[in-house]
């Protein structure tokens, strides 16, 4: 399983970005895909995930501003981020796992290289 993120960049507060994560190989194995982020000096944290049945989880920091979605054919994962704040500045990672979904970072098996999001005030 290979995950490749794109769509990061620099925006001003209040702006929007749409992240994409392309999935290649063995996509049939994947039961859950999600987005994490890691700011400098902080631990990697869950932003949102979407399960194979369509179940969605969003962290409190993402609710009402971020929307996770997935193309049912290509399995490409998206994260629409609106009303961005400086505290959203981080490296954003796409992740996947083969069994159930969950928020514990260490239990996610597959990771992309990340895409940087920088929000200026």
């Amino acid at each position: 399983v290979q995950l490749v993120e794109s769509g990061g960049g620099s925006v001003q507060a209040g702006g929007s970005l749409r992240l994409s994560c392309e999935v290649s190989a063995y996509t049939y194995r994947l039961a859950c895909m999600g987005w994490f982020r890691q700011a400098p000096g902080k631990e990697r944290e869950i932003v949102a995930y979407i399960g194979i049945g369509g179940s969605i989880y969003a962290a409190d920091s993402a609710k009402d501003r971020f929307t996770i979605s997935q193309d049912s054919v290509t399995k490409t994962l998206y994260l629409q981020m609106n009303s961005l704040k400086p505290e959203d500045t981080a490296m954003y990672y796409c992740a996947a796992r083969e069994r159930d979904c969950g928020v514990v970072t260490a239990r996610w098996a597959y990771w992309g290289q990340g895409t940087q999001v920088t929000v200026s005030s």
Side-chain angles (χ1 to χ4, degrees):
V1 177
Q2 291 185 324
L3 307 174
V4 179
E5 303 98 333
S6 62
S10 297
V11 296
Q12 291 189 330
S16 298
L17 284 173
R18 188 191 195 204
L19 306 184
S20 299
C21 174
E22 293 187 2
V23 187
S24 61
Y26 307 107
T27 57
Y28 62 89
R29 292 182 178 178
L30 304 178
C32 196
M33 292 187 67
W35 290 99
F36 288 72
R37 69 185 184 185
Q38 187 168 18
K42 295 188 176 181
E43 293 187 353
R44 193 169 298 188
E45 62 179 8
I46 182 77
V47 176
Y49 66 65
I50 184 167
I52 191 172
S55 59
I56 289 176
Y57 166 89
D60 288 343
S61 59
K63 288 178 181 177
D64 301 325
R65 298 189 300 126
F66 296 179
T67 301
I68 189 170
S69 62
Q70 187 173 33
D71 185 292
S72 60
V73 176
T74 65
K75 304 301 181 185
T76 299
L77 188 70
Y78 301 99
L79 184 69
Q80 178 66 44
M81 303 187 295
N82 299 325
S83 302
L84 283 162
K85 304 175 181 180
E87 51 263 44
D88 295 318
T89 295
M91 185 71 79
Y92 283 71
Y93 296 91
C94 176
R97 52 196 281 175
E98 295 182 1
R99 295 186 179 181
D100 53 2
C101 292
V103 300
V104 178
T105 305
R107 294 186 180 178
W108 289 74
Y110 305 104
W111 293 89
Q113 294 299 307
T115 186
Q116 178 68 38
V117 171
T118 302
V119 184
S120 59
S121 57

